[in-house]
Amino acid sequence: MKDKAFRRGLFTIIKFILAAVLTVLTYFTTRQVTYISVGLVELTFIFIIYNLITEKNIFCRILACLLFFIYVAQMTVLYFGNSYVTLTMLKNIKFLQDLGGEIVAYSLGTILALVIIFLPGRCIFKADKRTIVTLLVAFIFIEMAINANYKRFSPVQSFATIFVDQVRYQHVKRAAANPEVALGTFHKDSLEDAVAKPAALPEKPNIIVIFTEGLSSNIIYDERDIMPNLREFEKSCISFKNYYNHTFPTLRGVQGQLYSGYKLDDDNKANNLVSLHSILKDQGYKTSFINTEPFNDEFTLYLNNLGFDEIIEDKDNVSGLADGMTDGEAYKLLIQSAHEKAKDDQPFLLGIYTFGTHVSFNSKEYQYGDGANGFLNKFYNCDQMFKYFLDDFQESDLADNTIIIFTTDHSTYADQSYTDLFTDHKRECTDLDVMPLFIYYKGIEPQEIDVKGRNSLCFAPTVLDFLDIDSENYFLGTSLFDADAGSQFDRMFYDASYLISTEGGEIRYLEELEKEEFLSQVLTYFSALEAER
């Protein structure tokens, strides 16, 4: 019996030592000591609860095991993903297959976490009631201090935040129930007219819009020449600096830019308001979007509900990860489709979302250097395939009457692979960063415009302003060509997990009162987007 008790006591010590080691290892992903210090404080008190007050109290023992489970799970996710579990992650669990590029590493990490959690253990210390009460009171005061100053670094409190976010999210959904009032609130008779359409453009130029999966600007500008062709391309464009994504992930990001509005759910639900492509359709354009995930029923339905005239697919040329097109396949289909559209007299808007740079993916087409780093490979490959597209475009008649708009659905998710490679690029939030927006046409006068923290809600009004197209709308963003324009939304990042201001190019997490004020405004919009006009 003594030997068994000794072994179980030893296992308890091993459990917590392994949890502490995992905590320290998160530094190599986050590069922030605060996660370690706050985490180890909480782990110490979980250890105390596990050992001092659970010997004869089954409720306390269950609580201690639950807290330990939460702690190890949170630290495992932090190590791989540079963030604790968020509501956004949980809402996108249906797209788990899209992380298949790192399935071995994620599986091994999960197995190790489960081994740590389920190692058998026992109480190895004893204490009197006065000691227990003292420790619990100290724990409460320390947790209050953490809540006041370091809440987002706490694995336990961050887990509790998921439930708070879910309650707030459900409140927003219930409150968004008066579409008639909402439509009137956001309706605008016209758009900003801050820039004249260049004289070199035809009356109704064709438009190609490229949404690249998860691309932060710093990757393009990195001195290792990861994306040299895009960096060179920018020199011949109108480019926008200090331009942030307004949301995360893809389903929110693409629809949000096309409609200049937030999206309530990570689903395929339609937005019934005015969009960039609906306005262009009214101007005589044929609108199309290329589906690079034609075997993904959820994403296909999402694209069908965006309101384009046509969704283009090529199921015979899909060989990428997660049953998606490689960037080579995507760009080949893009240039082929553009040439086909150009045969008609009708001007066209042709959009695409390229999938090959998704988190965890590697490239089997072009590779960077010796090909050892999958993260570098996929972005280098994207850059090479963009050059293939651009070379074909510039050598064809398309260049005479077509605008290229290059951007992304959202910034690069700052997981472990990202933070390992860009140690000098500080990220305050894994979901939010500066992203590219380039506008190009033949004969353009290159220009850099500092938008000082405005975000991708401004995409649609900016494009329409550039084309001198006016329309009634319900846009939350404003034209980036108008330095004096702005709204309470176009400097605000919002998804299921975060509310962050990017005003002035500075990242600032909102206080609770600010969150409530913002949500009281945006919930009205969520009501409007479901209204039948």
Side-chain angles (χ1 to χ4, degrees):
M1 287 295 292
K2 288 184 178 181
D3 288 342
K4 183 178 179 180
F6 174 79
R7 285 197 301 272
R8 290 177 67 86
L10 182 61
F11 282 146
T12 300
I13 295 172
I14 293 173
K15 280 168 68 82
F16 281 90
I17 288 176
L18 289 175
V21 170
L22 176 60
T23 303
V24 174
L25 288 176
T26 62
Y27 176 80
F28 296 101
T29 300
T30 67
R31 307 293 170 177
Q32 295 195 56
V33 177
T34 311
Y35 280 109
I36 298 175
S37 56
V38 173
L40 290 179
V41 167
E42 290 197 341
L43 182 63
T44 299
F45 277 93
I46 294 172
F47 179 77
I48 291 170
I49 294 172
Y50 197 93
N51 286 284
L52 295 183
I53 65 174
T54 62
E55 185 176 14
K56 296 181 180 180
N57 189 317
I58 188 62
F59 172 79
C60 290
R61 188 153 188 80
I62 291 172
L63 173 62
C65 291
L66 178 61
L67 288 173
F68 187 76
F69 177 88
I70 291 170
Y71 184 92
V72 173
Q74 289 279 66
M75 285 300 172
T76 303
V77 173
L78 181 64
Y79 175 73
F80 284 107
N82 196 24
S83 167
Y84 293 130
V85 178
T86 66
L87 186 58
T88 301
M89 291 181 188
L90 296 178
K91 286 184 175 297
N92 283 273
I93 198 73
K94 58 190 173 185
F95 296 109
L96 191 62
Q97 66 170 7
D98 292 349
L99 301 178
E102 294 287 348
I103 190 65
V104 174
Y106 296 156
S107 297
L108 289 175
T110 301
I111 292 170
L112 177 60
L114 292 174
V115 168
I116 296 172
I117 290 166
F118 290 107
L119 273 175
R122 67 182 299 273
C123 303
I124 55 177
F125 300 117
K126 294 182 179 180
D128 56 33
K129 290 183 178 179
R130 179 178 298 180
T131 302
I132 292 172
V133 170
T134 301
L135 290 170
L136 287 176
V137 170
F139 175 67
I140 291 171
F141 275 105
I142 288 175
E143 284 297 307
M144 290 172 62
I146 291 173
N147 183 68
N149 300 291
Y150 304 103
K151 184 177 182 179
R152 69 187 180 94
F153 296 99
S154 162
V156 175
Q157 293 193 33
S158 291
F159 183 81
T161 299
I162 296 174
F163 297 96
V164 174
D165 289 342
Q166 176 66 10
V167 170
R168 181 183 285 121
Y169 168 78
Q170 292 298 330
H171 169 70
V172 169
K173 288 189 70 173
R174 288 193 300 269
N178 196 339
E180 291 76 17
V181 173
L183 286 172
T185 300
F186 294 100
H187 179 267
K188 301 180 184 68
D189 292 325
S190 62
L191 289 158
E192 293 91 2
D193 185 13
V195 64
K197 185 176 74 174
L201 287 176
E203 181 182 356
K204 292 183 178 180
N206 301 318
I207 306 162
I208 296 175
V209 178
I210 301 168
F211 293 103
T212 306
E213 161 59 40
L215 176 59
S216 289
S217 293
N218 75 291
I219 298 175
I220 298 174
Y221 308 134
D222 192 87
E223 62 184 11
R224 287 166 287 191
D225 277 345
I226 305 167
M227 307 188 84
N229 296 304
L230 267 172
R231 190 169 64 246
E232 189 66 24
F233 175 68
E234 184 194 8
K235 295 176 182 177
S236 59
C237 297
I238 298 173
S239 64
F240 299 87
K241 302 298 183 182
N242 289 313
Y243 174 68
Y244 287 81
N245 55 309
H246 76 279
T247 193
F248 187 92
T250 301
L251 300 191
R252 293 171 182 255
V254 173
Q255 180 177 301
Q257 292 182 68
L258 293 171
Y259 286 82
S260 187
Y262 296 108
K263 183 170 168 55
L264 179 57
D265 282 308
D266 297 301
D267 60 13
N268 49 46
K269 202 167 188 177
N271 182 326
N272 292 317
L273 300 181
V274 172
S275 66
L276 170 66
H277 44 290
S278 69
I279 292 174
L280 290 173
K281 184 176 180 179
D282 291 342
Q283 294 288 319
Y285 279 75
K286 176 68 177 291
T287 64
S288 307
F289 202 96
I290 293 174
N291 183 5
T292 54
E293 299 181 68
F295 297 106
N296 184 331
D297 293 339
E298 193 81 22
F299 188 70
T300 299
L301 182 57
Y302 164 81
L303 291 183
N304 288 332
N305 285 338
L306 284 179
F308 284 87
D309 293 325
E310 176 188 27
I311 300 300
I312 300 171
E313 296 181 351
D314 182 6
K315 290 186 176 180
D316 293 330
N317 290 288
V318 180
S319 64
L321 289 168
D323 288 330
M325 301 184 85
T326 67
D327 281 352
E329 293 164 343
Y331 273 114
K332 288 176 184 176
L333 182 55
L334 176 61
I335 196 64
Q336 290 169 9
S337 300
H339 286 307
E340 285 296 317
K341 300 295 177 189
K343 294 177 182 178
D344 299 329
D345 293 332
Q346 187 177 13
F348 66 82
L349 166 68
L350 177 60
I352 189 171
Y353 157 69
T354 61
F355 189 48
T357 49
H358 197 279
V359 64
S360 86
F361 280 12
N362 199 338
S363 168
K364 62 181 182 181
E365 295 169 328
Y366 284 94
Q367 295 188 325
Y368 180 85
D370 63 4
N373 189 291
F375 186 98
L376 297 178
N377 289 341
K378 66 183 179 183
F379 284 103
Y380 181 76
N381 179 69
C382 175
D383 183 72
Q384 295 298 313
M385 293 308 180
F386 173 78
K387 184 178 186 300
Y388 156 82
F389 158 80
L390 186 64
D391 287 346
D392 190 313
F393 174 88
Q394 291 178 328
E395 292 169 3
S396 72
D397 293 337
L398 283 167
D400 296 327
N401 61 356
T402 306
I403 297 170
I404 295 175
I405 302 173
F406 182 92
T407 188
T408 178
D409 56 343
H410 53 72
S411 62
T412 307
Y413 182 74
D415 65 353
Q416 184 189 52
S417 298
Y418 179 92
T419 57
D420 283 347
L421 287 167
F422 302 99
T423 55
D424 295 332
H425 182 66
K426 186 177 181 182
R427 289 281 295 270
E428 297 291 341
C429 175
T430 55
D431 298 355
L432 172 64
D433 200 11
V434 175
M435 58 184 257
L437 174 58
F438 308 149
I439 298 177
Y440 169 83
Y441 64 90
K442 187 177 181 179
I444 193 172
E445 183 176 339
Q447 182 183 6
E448 285 189 1
I449 300 174
D450 187 348
V451 301
K452 300 177 181 178
R454 290 163 72 183
N455 64 32
S456 51
L457 287 174
C458 300
F459 177 81
T462 299
V463 173
L464 293 168
D465 186 11
F466 184 70
L467 296 171
D468 271 353
I469 294 176
D470 196 11
S471 172
E472 67 169 342
N473 65 89
Y474 300 87
F475 294 163
L476 300 185
T478 52
S479 171
L480 296 172
F481 289 107
D482 189 345
D484 297 323
S487 71
Q488 65 266 50
F489 305 108
D490 66 5
R491 296 170 176 84
M492 197 71 70
F493 175 90
Y494 172 66
D495 65 11
S497 303
Y498 299 109
L499 264 172
I500 301 173
S501 168
T502 58
E503 186 169 4
E506 299 292 330
I507 306 300
R508 182 179 66 84
Y509 286 81
L510 267 62
E511 303 293 338
E512 288 301 318
L513 287 178
E514 291 179 297
K515 290 180 181 179
E516 295 302 325
E517 181 181 353
F518 173 82
L519 290 173
S520 70
Q521 298 167 346
V522 80
L523 65 85
T524 309
Y525 178 80
F526 290 142
S527 178
L529 64 84
E530 296 184 1
E532 294 291 342
R533 295 187 298 114

